[in-house]
Amino acid sequence: MDNLQFRRNRRLRNSATLRSMVRETVLRKEDLIYPVFVVEGEDVKNEVSSMPGVFQLSLDRLATEIDEVVSLGIPAIILFGIPTEKDAVGTGAYHDHGIVQQAIRFVKEHHPELVIIADTCLCEYTDHGHCGVVEGEKVLNEPSLDLLTRTAVSQAEAGADIIAPSNMMDGFVAAIRQGLDAAGFIDIPIMSYAVKYASAYYGPFRDAADSAPQFGDRKTYQMDPANRIEAMREAESDVMEGADFLIVKPALSYLDIVRDVKNSFSLPVVAYNVSGEYAMVKAAALNGWVDEKTIVLETLTSMKRAGADLIMTYHAKDAARWLGEK
């Protein structure tokens, strides 16, 4: 052992203070975006059975939720709407008095400082559950762009700070950017779901948003989970079309894609820690199999380490509390 040569990497781990001084990745409350589900009706607070701690809320129950989000220091929410009535073209998505438009105005009246991101899609509003106009069993691209643009403009008119189109139609960023600019919303950024996979991890979300497709699947417009190079093509298209943020969804099984996108483009990258990822941790924690606080903070930190600037997560409120304890 006298001539043994090796590095003493443990020297920088000798105390909690020293470890914090050399920590490379820091998770902050300001990195978090909290998803909120708003439904029509009164006095509604329905817990999503597959997502413990996540609720569908009517407008009259929304204030308490938003007050809590603001008090925890979370800077932004993303709004999803669940309408009472649906039709073939998702009219509720772009109606002036649609549920999301009402929710945007309500939140802005109570907390104007909170950044509101509007999810811009049709699947929650169509009776067939697809993210666009359907002919037979085919989702049409260009007719869908027209309705998505109308939706984005109506959300901006209601007061949304950021438009987040999630439909994965070809050209959706270009169409929405053109529509927003023509309507005078040149300063409203687009947070594009640039890389969105056709993932099994979305199952609980479809319970929360009542958005499961009534036939087929979404594999003709969402990405094949096996593909990596295609993700770069999708992200590049959105950058060229005018996106201001790039979302990778899901996050946990796609951290390599988060890193690829971060390395390839200069825009802020958003990781969406999706419903299935949340539900698995919650189920394990409720059964006592994992320490929820430790595993959630480790998971979210891994997303930042992979390159995410922001994280959409249903854990946001709990994470903010735990980060506050530190």
Side-chain angles (χ1 to χ4, degrees):
M1 297 277 298
D2 291 345
N3 297 321
L4 188 63
Q5 300 291 320
F6 57 90
R7 294 180 179 177
R8 293 197 176 272
N9 295 313
R10 290 178 58 190
R11 288 170 178 156
L12 300 184
R13 306 173 196 153
N14 280 335
S15 69
T17 301
L18 184 54
R19 290 192 296 273
S20 69
M21 289 172 63
V22 298
R23 186 163 293 137
E24 299 172 29
T25 304
V26 178
L27 179 68
R28 311 173 306 147
K29 293 187 288 184
E30 290 81 5
D31 302 326
L32 305 175
I33 299 167
Y34 185 58
V36 176
F37 297 95
V38 188
V39 298
E40 294 181 335
E42 295 182 356
D43 196 28
V44 179
K45 186 177 182 180
N46 296 329
E47 186 171 30
V48 180
S49 61
S50 55
M51 299 176 69
V54 175
F55 297 87
Q56 298 173 334
L57 300 164
S58 54
L59 287 178
D60 57 325
R61 301 293 295 269
L62 187 58
T64 302
E65 179 85 332
I66 299 304
D67 288 346
E68 183 181 21
V69 168
V70 171
S71 70
L72 289 169
I74 298 168
I77 60 171
I78 180 166
L79 284 172
F80 298 93
I82 303 103
T84 300
E85 297 182 3
K86 305 186 179 192
D87 59 32
V89 293
T91 304
Y94 45 87
H95 196 286
D96 289 345
H97 298 289
I99 185 59
V100 161
Q101 287 78 0
Q102 293 182 59
I104 292 169
R105 290 190 286 266
F106 179 88
V107 174
K108 275 301 175 187
E109 181 179 347
H110 287 78
H111 287 287
E113 75 282 10
L114 186 67
V115 172
I116 300 177
I117 304 165
D119 180 79
T120 305
C121 199
L122 302 176
C123 59
E124 298 105 308
Y125 307 91
T126 55
D127 53 15
H128 47 72
H130 280 282
C131 304
V133 177
V134 168
E135 184 177 272
E137 293 194 355
K138 183 178 181 180
V139 179
L140 305 180
N141 200 86
E142 275 73 0
S144 301
L145 295 182
D146 292 338
L147 297 184
L148 291 163
T149 300
R150 291 179 63 182
T151 301
V153 171
S154 73
Q155 292 169 338
E157 289 173 342
D161 298 291
I162 299 173
I163 298 300
S166 60
N167 52 88
M168 289 295 284
M169 296 294 112
D170 289 340
F172 68 102
V173 172
I176 289 172
R177 183 73 273 161
Q178 183 183 75
L180 289 172
D181 291 353
F185 296 108
I186 59 173
D187 294 324
I188 298 293
I190 294 175
M191 181 181 284
S192 169
Y193 286 70
V195 183
K196 183 177 180 181
Y197 286 89
S199 173
Y201 284 99
Y202 303 153
F205 174 89
R206 291 171 183 171
D207 292 339
D210 188 23
S211 62
Q214 298 303 301
F215 63 88
D217 53 42
R218 295 176 177 147
K219 293 180 180 179
T220 64
Y221 45 103
Q222 296 178 1
M223 281 184 51
D224 185 338
N227 291 358
R228 180 181 181 190
I229 296 172
E230 183 185 7
M232 297 302 102
R233 295 201 300 269
E234 286 283 1
E236 183 180 23
S237 295
D238 290 2
V239 171
M240 293 174 63
E241 292 172 17
D244 301 283
F245 302 80
L246 301 173
I247 299 173
V248 177
K249 180 183 181 182
L252 191 55
S253 289
Y254 298 85
L255 294 180
D256 59 323
I257 307 301
V258 173
R259 173 47 59 186
D260 285 344
V261 171
K262 183 65 175 177
N263 287 346
S264 300
F265 306 101
S266 60
L267 298 180
V269 176
V270 184
Y272 197 148
N273 179 211
V274 300
S275 59
E277 298 165 356
Y278 172 88
M280 290 190 299
V281 170
K282 276 291 184 181
L286 288 169
N287 278 284
W289 298 335
V290 298
D291 180 87
E292 184 176 3
K293 172 183 175 181
T294 304
I295 202 167
V296 166
L297 294 180
E298 180 179 340
T299 298
L300 299 181
T301 299
S302 77
M303 295 170 191
K304 282 214 68 180
R305 189 186 65 243
D309 298 286
L310 300 169
I311 303 170
M312 288 183 187
T313 177
Y314 304 96
H315 294 292
K317 292 194 297 183
D318 286 334
R321 289 190 192 94
W322 295 324
L323 292 170
E325 292 171 2
K326 289 185 177 183

